[in-house]
Amino acid sequence: MYSVPQPQHAAPPSPIHGPALPIGLAVTALGILLSLASAPVASSAEREQPMPEPVLVQEVPSVQVGATTAADPCAEPAVLEAIASADDAATIAGFGGGESFRAAVVAGNAPCISLDDPSHVWVVVNKARPLAPIDFAPASLADIPLPMTTGSSRARADVAEAVGSLAAAAEAAGAGRIGANNGYRSYDLQVRTHAAHVDNRGQADADAASARAGHSEHQTGLALDLVACSPACGEIDAFGGTPQGAWVAEHAWEHGFIVRYEEVGTAVTGYKPEAWHLRYVGTELAAAYHHGGFHTLEEFFGLPAAPEYPH
């Protein structure tokens, strides 16, 4: 018989039965055994020592975010006293001035102030905001100290005094003499005035040029229409193109007035521009209106536009 040939490159059989242990691993294992053998053995007393108590992590306190309550200007004694005495100028001063007053009203932080009350200089009357009562009349009126071109020659006393000061300042500045066409108009007179406009130009055009009764600033006694007198007094429509009109547009605020119906505000008020129509709001509010770059009372007090009557 022939013997089976062995592979030429086979490893010689190991004299140790089972798998061979690599030398590196054996050395590592021997080192571990030696280190364990040399480690100190804890005494029984040490083994009986209790384990340290776990340390509790202290809870981080929650952040308290408290809302700061806004100061209520209406609670200020000076404001309460001014309102009780119906002193508009003192009321506005109690709020900290015209801009602070406006800001409080816009923010809804002036519950003691009603923009609907026609007895105050801050009232806003427009096509969507009728007077309440609808036939309101001022408690007292005074003669306007200017040349007049109609019989509507009265206004509230503070308005009459202020427009007299305005006219004197304009003349002193060399702008020319100023007169007035209309001051206070009663509810009944406004009914007739608006009806005449409707007859002459139709309803839509009349509503763009004249307020319906109960929606007119003239009825509050706070508004008046100016004319230029050089020397004779002209028509209201011509006022804007005169030196007097230019001076008033620039300086009316210094005397407590605003030009109520500017061309830029037509989309808000619904009225054609009226350079001659002044509305008294007092010097503090007029200054805030002027310096704030406002062109309508609606925007000044954060009210919606009112270009049309609701019905």
Side-chain angles (χ1 to χ4, degrees):
M1 293 182 62
Y2 294 99
S3 61
V4 178
Q6 294 293 325
Q8 295 181 3
H9 301 288
S14 172
I16 303 175
H17 296 287
L21 185 66
I23 296 176
L25 182 58
V27 172
T28 301
L30 181 61
I32 293 174
L33 291 173
L34 292 174
S35 64
L36 290 174
S38 61
V41 178
S43 66
S44 59
E46 289 174 337
R47 288 197 298 269
E48 292 176 359
Q49 289 295 325
M51 295 294 291
E53 292 290 334
V55 178
L56 294 177
V57 177
Q58 191 173 16
E59 183 180 357
V60 178
S62 59
V63 178
Q64 301 296 325
V65 180
T68 301
T69 303
D72 179 5
C74 292
E76 295 295 327
V79 172
L80 294 173
E81 182 179 350
I83 290 175
S85 61
D87 188 335
D88 289 355
T91 299
I92 294 168
F95 272 74
E99 175 52 30
S100 296
F101 179 92
R102 183 200 74 82
V105 171
V106 171
N109 194 31
C112 58
I113 303 300
S114 171
L115 299 179
D116 297 318
D117 190 340
S119 66
H120 296 293
V121 295
W122 49 76
V123 64
V124 181
V125 53
N126 57 33
K127 294 180 178 182
R129 299 172 61 88
L131 292 169
I134 197 74
D135 59 351
F136 169 81
S140 62
L141 296 166
D143 290 334
I144 297 171
L146 303 179
M148 298 298 304
T149 60
T150 73
S152 300
S153 59
R154 296 182 299 166
R156 278 183 28 163
D158 49 353
V159 178
E161 180 181 359
V163 78
S165 172
L166 176 149
E171 192 164 9
R177 196 177 183 205
I178 291 176
N181 171 268
N182 268 284
Y184 166 72
R185 291 200 295 259
S186 67
Y187 177 89
D188 292 336
L189 179 55
Q190 193 64 30
V191 169
R192 298 193 296 272
T193 299
H194 186 266
H197 281 281
V198 173
D199 291 341
N200 292 333
R201 58 181 74 186
Q203 186 70 55
D205 201 28
D207 284 341
S210 173
R212 297 179 186 180
H215 294 263
S216 173
E217 290 195 326
H218 284 282
Q219 195 177 323
T220 66
L222 293 167
L224 41 79
D225 298 331
L226 300 184
V227 294
C229 304
S230 301
C233 296
E235 299 293 329
I236 56 175
D237 292 343
F239 186 72
T242 64
Q244 292 94 323
W247 188 93
V248 164
E250 185 176 354
H251 298 283
W253 67 273
E254 297 169 358
H255 301 272
F257 292 95
I258 63 170
V259 178
R260 178 68 169 100
Y261 304 121
E262 298 182 70
E263 184 171 4
V264 69
T266 295
V268 174
T269 66
Y271 290 107
K272 295 177 180 179
E274 297 184 356
W276 58 87
H277 182 104
L278 294 193
R279 162 63 196 276
Y280 186 73
V281 295
T283 54
E284 285 289 339
L285 291 183
Y289 187 95
H290 172 77
H291 293 306
F294 293 96
H295 298 283
T296 69
L297 275 181
E298 288 78 9
E299 294 169 316
F300 183 70
F301 282 124
L303 298 173
E308 298 179 355
Y309 291 100
H311 54 77

